[in-house]
Amino acid sequence: MLRSRFPTLIWDNVPEQMTPAARVWLRNCLVPLAQRVFDRTSQRFWLEWLSDTSLNKLKRFVLVFDNAGQPIGWAAAGAFEVGGRRCFYGSSAGVDPVWQGAGITSAAARHLFLPALGAAAPRPLYAVVRTGNPLVYSAWQAGHVGRQPLYPNPDGRRIPQPIVDIATEAANRYAQGARLDPATLIMRDCYSREAAGLWSKRPACDNDAVGRWFNDNLNARDAVMLVAPFDPAATFARESMRAVQKRLGLTTGRSSRRVRAA
């Protein structure tokens, strides 16, 4: 679906498929876009994220273009296991402000997430995302299909140790394990290299409870390590229903205009 609407480059195995020349080209074209999306971030921030060391930790990368060949969005993800639990790690995603609301983020995320979910079946797949954006949280919350709730939760429920272990492993991959509070999954000052955080203003959220929880508990340089268990059978059943509804014209086609994570 994404490919039919927008020209798209997809690397299914970044360490093996993304050539040295492609990496240089990606740094040149993606950094300006990323700085438009995250308007307080520096060029250095993104060049570090696009370094060979960082790219080689990823599994899949999606880069989306407009019809004039200009990059307008991206999504990237990695994978790891903790105690036999398979984890999908959403590393970063963003869409040019001009194109936000066109469904690019959700379509790119599905290209990354659904193959990982199929590979994990019949076991659950744990989606893990570090984010300071309440819209990212509410988007995963809306799409969540699993027997367990997602964590952390604004209602303050206790976080099980397996979830803490997954969040800790993800934090360690940023070399930020010491910044993670295991009781809340809040990561303090994890964007400390960016003095003003990621945005000039934290994106607003249409879920009032989530928005208040983020604003009350996180400063501009904090994030949460979101962990959401997904059941493959239930999720694919929901995706099939969604596809049928779309063909019948029963979906609204609305999309959040400011969903982005880093």
Side-chain angles (χ1 to χ4, degrees), residues 116-125 145-147 229-238:
L117 188 68
R123 295 185 294 168
L125 180 67
V145 179
R147 297 184 181 90
F230 279 79
D231 177 81
T235 305
F236 280 120
R238 180 169 170 171

Side-chain angles (χ1 to χ4, degrees), residues 152 156-159 164 180-186:
R157 73 184 64 187
R158 187 184 68 83
I159 300 171
V164 174
L180 178 73
D181 179 355
T184 63
L185 301 192
I186 292 175

Side-chain angles (χ1 to χ4, degrees), residues 60 79-81 84-88 112-127 228-233 235-236:
R60 293 184 174 89
F80 59 88
E81 287 200 17
R85 296 175 176 86
R86 299 189 70 164
C87 302
F88 166 92
L112 297 176
F113 183 68
L114 293 180
L117 188 68
R123 295 185 294 168
L125 180 67
Y126 293 79
F230 279 79
D231 177 81
T235 305
F236 280 120

Side-chain angles (χ1 to χ4, degrees), residues 168-186:
T168 300
E169 173 61 23
N172 287 338
R173 287 171 169 258
Y174 279 110
Q176 292 185 334
R179 299 182 186 272
L180 178 73
D181 179 355
T184 63
L185 301 192
I186 292 175

Side-chain angles (χ1 to χ4, degrees), residues 39-217:
D39 60 5
R40 286 292 182 91
T41 55
S42 64
Q43 182 184 63
R44 174 185 50 78
F45 179 92
W46 291 105
L47 288 176
E48 182 177 317
W49 183 72
L50 290 165
S51 69
D52 286 338
T53 298
S54 295
L55 287 172
N56 287 337
K57 293 178 182 179
L58 299 175
K59 175 64 175 175
R60 293 184 174 89
F61 199 112
V62 173
L63 186 62
V64 185
F65 303 84
D66 63 17
N67 289 327
Q70 296 300 309
I72 58 174
W74 78 94
F80 59 88
E81 287 200 17
V82 178
R85 296 175 176 86
R86 299 189 70 164
C87 302
F88 166 92
Y89 184 73
S91 177
S92 181
V95 175
D96 191 300
V98 174
W99 286 93
Q100 288 172 8
I104 294 171
T105 299
S106 59
R110 282 184 170 86
H111 272 283
L112 297 176
F113 183 68
L114 293 180
L117 188 68
R123 295 185 294 168
L125 180 67
Y126 293 79
V128 190
V129 181
R130 183 187 70 168
T131 184
N133 186 343
L135 271 176
V136 172
Y137 183 100
S138 63
W140 281 101
Q141 187 179 52
H144 176 246
V145 179
R147 297 184 181 90
Q148 302 179 55
L150 51 76
Y151 301 94
N153 198 289
D155 66 9
R157 73 184 64 187
R158 187 184 68 83
I159 300 171
Q161 189 59 46
I163 300 296
V164 174
D165 293 343
I166 290 170
T168 300
E169 173 61 23
N172 287 338
R173 287 171 169 258
Y174 279 110
Q176 292 185 334
R179 299 182 186 272
L180 178 73
D181 179 355
T184 63
L185 301 192
I186 292 175
M187 297 187 67
R188 295 296 181 193
D189 217 26
C190 61
Y191 300 119
S192 59
R193 294 187 180 184
E194 300 301 287
L198 302 182
W199 312 282
S200 55
K201 183 179 180 181
R202 191 190 305 278
C205 180
D206 52 5
N207 184 318
D208 291 340
V210 171
R212 283 195 304 270
W213 188 82
F214 268 70
N215 289 331
D216 291 347
N217 290 279

